[in-house]
Amino acid sequence: MRTAIIEKRPRASDPSPNLTAAEAASFRYDRAARDFQGLPDGKGLNIAFEAIDRHAAGPLAETDALRWLGLHGEEEVYTYRMLRAWSNRFANVLKGLGVTPGERVFALMPRLPELYIATFGILKARCVFSPLFSAFGPEPIQARMALGQGTVLLTTPRLYKTKVAAIRKRLPDLQHVILVGRGHQSAEIPGTLDFASLVNEASDDYEIGPTPPETMALLHFTSGTTGTPKGAVHVHDAALHHYVTGKYALDLHPRDIFWCTADPGWVTGTTYGIISPFLNGVTSVVDVAEFDADRWYRILHDEQVSVWYTAPTAIRMLMKAGAEKAREYTFPHLRFIASVGEPLNPEAVHWGTAHLGLPIHDNWWQTETGGIMIANTAAMDVKPGSMGKPLPAIEAAVVRREGGRIVPIEEPEVEGELAIRTGWPSMFRDYLNQPERYAACFADGWYLSGDLAKRDADGYFWFVGRGDDVIKSAGHLIGPFEVESVLIEHPAVAEAAVIGLPDEVAGERVKAFVALNPGIVIDDDLRKSLRGHARKRLGAAVAPRDIDILAQLPKTRSGKIMRRLLKARELGLPEGDTSTLEAES
Ligand code: ATP
Ligand code: MG
């Protein structure tokens, strides 16, 4: 499994991949920054100016920036010039309401064009944008807005009535609620303002005030996979990293048709669903709907998507929907596919090659890193199951903690904690109101990610597991990812999660949970076949002793398997923070 390589074989019609060896060798952020304009008169660096206004005043002004797909075939298109005007209007709305720079503006919104317009208006006003997932219930909304002291909330009349109205009394900082009604009578709800009326009355001229690069821009809550979500603070300087990673890790070229399937409630949906595409001058496709295999294949085909950024859970759902479905469509325009959020099983990478015509390029990063750190780029061969190599100017290492010191492990194939040398522009600047927790992430000039990894002799990094998830059994260190990847190679298995349970003899024993492909009959033969497959591939010491079959695995709303929940349930312990748990049916 670990030696396979998929060699880079571009089609003649493809543009040459970004990040040639020469580009990689000479990369420096200050050189990349020359592609930016900076605010007039040296007033600093503003994400919205570089993403929108710079293009609106240049050759891409009339290029489609945002192509929005509604539920029933509606489509709305905004050029860079139009986005400049609309975001200026929203910045003027905030100013008119007396909202001042630094104030936190939350969005609890479906993927509607107004969300994208508002984000850039918020950044122009030098307020802080904090997205919430629209499927959150009242409690997670209240907790995050209270922590962030949000003064403005952008939402819809429906979400307001069902989730916010009842908690409004518990949000003393909240001054203004702006409703995106899209023609429905939002103005009728007392204590709220109507987005459409406000922007229609606002001027489309706006001058962005001074924005030193360290100005706070984004407040992002982590996925809550391992515990209570943390509020990671990011600054305008992050734009530089958002730009170069879009270019190098996702291979974005101006005018590409790009589709990022992540919801902006999560960092991927903001960095690569809102900011990075526009910094790179592409046409960004935004679909309001949730996952549906036919719809997704149709979008890839009909919209002529050239670069697609998605997640392992989505790929596994497409796999579950079956190869026949994929065969109904062709994807002649698709040039590059990338995935993030969870380890991407080798099986999924190969499935991409077989059914979408391209391997899927895994990359690794976190809410805290603000952008991609390690990637299989378009310019390199893909090693299925590997996260790839560090991007230019990113120094990543597998390290060991020795007292207060951090020691990089030089030998290949040795497991340790994945660490990044501090100083890249999109590094988080704080965990809001948790300075000790923030400080604990750093030592000796390194940021410690909490994930375990290995590096191979070619410099590729391999994910082993989250620090908390790694299993120690009879002297072996077992990474759940490796066991899960083997389990999903079994033809009956769609998804797998592996945990360690206390064991008197071995210290810990491996337990697996699987969800099956449709139409599989659950009987003793199946159970025997699953156990046999695991034992044959992994050996008796590593293979799970028990394999439970579940209808579905518990996941965060960003699609991450919540192993800690499976473990808590197994041990009869409290489930802890489940605010980001996707509804289990
Ligand atoms: P919390 O920190 O609240 O527990 P979280 O870590 O899941 O939540 P995110 O910042 O959204 O929140 O996710 C980052 C984590 O996702 C990484 O630390 C890693 O464990 C996992 N991850 C992301 N990309 C990959 C990848 N390509 N391969 C393996 N794991 C990945
Ligand atoms: Mg985390």
Side-chain angles (χ1 to χ4, degrees):
M1 174 168 108
R2 300 238 142 163
T3 51
I5 283 195
I6 301 176
E7 279 176 35
K8 175 81 202 128
R9 255 186 254 119
R11 291 172 300 212
S13 57
D14 291 347
S16 52
N18 291 320
L19 198 61
T20 57
E23 266 175 308
S26 67
F27 178 84
R28 283 187 8 207
Y29 282 110
D30 57 348
R31 289 209 193 103
R34 289 182 202 152
D35 292 349
F36 283 3
Q37 257 169 17
L39 291 173
D41 308 322
K43 284 189 301 182
L45 171 66
N46 186 294
I47 294 174
F49 181 83
E50 301 303 336
I52 305 296
D53 295 13
R54 177 169 58 102
H55 296 309
L60 295 176
E62 302 306 328
T63 299
D64 293 352
L66 180 67
R67 195 185 290 168
W68 177 78
L69 311 177
L71 270 187
H72 308 291
E74 320 88 290
E75 188 167 307
E76 284 178 25
V77 172
Y78 296 79
T79 62
Y80 280 93
R81 190 181 46 74
M82 290 159 76
L83 278 189
R84 176 178 58 185
W86 284 113
S87 56
N88 279 352
R89 284 170 182 252
F90 194 71
N92 278 319
V93 166
L94 292 174
K95 192 170 150 191
L97 292 172
V99 181
T100 54
E103 288 187 39
R104 260 78 85 167
V105 180
F106 279 76
L108 176 72
M109 285 277 294
R111 291 179 293 270
L112 294 174
E114 288 84 346
L115 171 62
Y116 297 74
I117 288 165
T119 304
F120 291 113
I122 292 163
L123 293 170
K124 287 181 175 182
R126 293 166 296 152
C127 294
V128 177
F129 173 61
S130 190
L132 298 170
F133 195 76
S134 57
F136 275 159
E139 289 311 313
I141 295 169
Q142 196 274 335
R144 286 162 182 74
M145 287 192 63
L147 180 71
Q149 296 174 297
T151 57
V152 183
L153 173 67
L154 186 75
T155 187
T156 64
R158 186 181 61 80
L159 291 171
Y160 181 75
K161 279 189 233 159
T162 55
K163 303 182 175 191
V164 181
I167 54 168
R168 190 148 177 192
K169 282 194 292 301
R170 290 197 282 141
L171 293 168
D173 297 304
L174 181 59
Q175 312 263 324
H176 312 285
V177 174
I178 303 175
L179 299 182
V180 177
R182 302 221 120 211
H184 302 287
Q185 291 307 308
S186 51
E188 284 172 11
I189 302 178
T192 68
L193 301 161
D194 177 50
F195 182 93
S197 324
L198 290 170
V199 290
N200 284 332
E201 283 156 24
S203 156
D204 57 18
D205 264 338
Y206 184 83
E207 191 185 324
I208 302 174
T211 316
E214 286 300 309
T215 305
M216 184 172 169
L218 307 160
L219 172 64
H220 271 303
F221 292 91
T222 61
S223 288
T225 315
T226 58
T228 306
K230 299 146 275 189
V233 170
H234 291 280
V235 298
H236 280 268
D237 202 31
L240 210 48
H241 190 77
H242 295 166
Y243 167 61
V244 298
T245 50
K247 184 169 170 186
Y248 293 145
L250 303 180
D251 200 43
L252 295 179
H253 291 68
R255 297 190 178 83
D256 257 325
I257 310 286
F258 172 64
W259 183 26
C260 171
T261 61
D263 188 273
W266 307 106
V267 72
T268 306
T270 303
T271 298
Y272 298 102
I274 306 186
I275 298 171
S276 178
F278 301 125
L279 286 168
N280 280 284
V282 307
T283 297
S284 187
V285 173
V286 170
D287 180 29
V288 76
E290 295 307 320
F291 176 84
D292 172 88
D294 276 310
R295 184 176 171 103
W296 279 32
Y297 284 135
R298 224 177 306 122
I299 292 174
L300 287 172
H301 176 270
D302 292 355
E303 301 303 324
Q304 310 193 339
V305 172
S306 52
V307 180
W308 192 39
Y309 196 22
T310 188
T313 174
I315 307 279
R316 288 192 298 256
M317 285 195 282
L318 289 178
M319 291 166 75
K320 201 170 169 178
E324 300 75 45
K325 202 171 271 309
R327 274 197 286 273
E328 292 169 25
Y329 303 85
T330 54
F331 313 102
H333 296 274
L334 203 52
R335 188 184 81 238
F336 189 76
I337 309 176
S339 158
V340 73
E342 274 210 302
L344 183 67
N345 317 89
E347 183 80 354
V349 178
H350 293 302
W351 185 87
T353 311
H355 301 290
L356 303 173
L358 300 164
I360 300 167
H361 296 72
D362 188 20
N363 57 54
W364 176 91
W365 59 290
Q366 307 177 304
T367 308
E368 289 86 343
T369 69
I372 302 168
M373 297 279 107
I374 295 177
N376 288 283
T377 70
M380 66 200 244
D381 301 334
V382 174
K383 288 202 190 190
S386 159
M387 308 185 283
K389 295 184 186 184
L391 289 172
I394 298 301
E395 185 183 347
V398 175
V399 306
R400 196 169 43 226
R401 301 188 193 215
E402 275 179 15
R405 314 261 347 148
I406 299 301
V407 183
I409 301 171
E410 301 300 340
E411 316 91 89
E413 303 294 347
V414 179
E415 283 171 20
E417 187 166 0
L418 179 54
I420 313 282
R421 180 71 77 186
T422 56
W424 70 97
S426 66
M427 189 177 89
F428 69 137
R429 300 298 198 266
D430 206 356
Y431 280 136
L432 198 68
N433 299 343
Q434 294 184 301
E436 309 79 31
R437 202 160 178 188
Y438 181 72
C441 297
F442 299 90
D444 252 359
W446 293 94
Y447 162 66
L448 297 151
S449 72
D451 285 347
L452 299 185
K454 335 186 208 194
R455 201 189 56 233
D456 68 17
D458 299 328
Y460 285 69
F461 282 70
W462 299 78
F463 184 78
V464 172
R466 291 173 182 264
D468 302 342
D469 289 343
V470 170
I471 304 159
K472 293 167 202 83
S473 185
H476 296 270
L477 267 188
I478 301 171
F481 172 50
E482 196 162 2
V483 181
E484 290 161 7
S485 288
V486 164
L487 286 169
I488 81 158
E489 283 174 33
H490 188 287
V493 175
E495 288 186 304
V498 164
I499 60 169
L501 293 175
D503 184 273
E504 278 181 15
V505 181
E508 277 189 301
R509 71 191 147 88
V510 180
K511 165 135 198 187
F513 300 84
V514 295
L516 302 179
N517 284 316
I520 304 283
V521 180
I522 303 173
D523 57 14
D524 282 348
D525 284 349
L526 174 70
R527 291 177 204 282
K528 220 155 76 203
S529 152
L530 287 172
R531 276 197 304 270
H533 167 79
R535 235 189 338 261
K536 186 163 139 228
R537 294 289 314 278
L538 295 161
V542 176
R545 212 151 338 142
D546 301 307
I547 304 177
D548 278 8
I549 298 171
L550 302 182
Q552 64 192 60
L553 302 177
K555 294 205 196 95
T556 66
R557 293 188 189 280
S558 52
K560 295 166 196 282
I561 297 171
M562 288 173 103
R563 295 177 190 79
R564 72 169 158 98
L565 210 61
L566 289 167
K567 192 160 174 170
R569 287 175 184 172
E570 202 62 20
L571 298 173
L573 296 171
E575 295 196 343
D577 190 306
T578 53
S579 60
T580 62
L581 178 67
E582 192 170 6
E584 292 173 279
S585 52

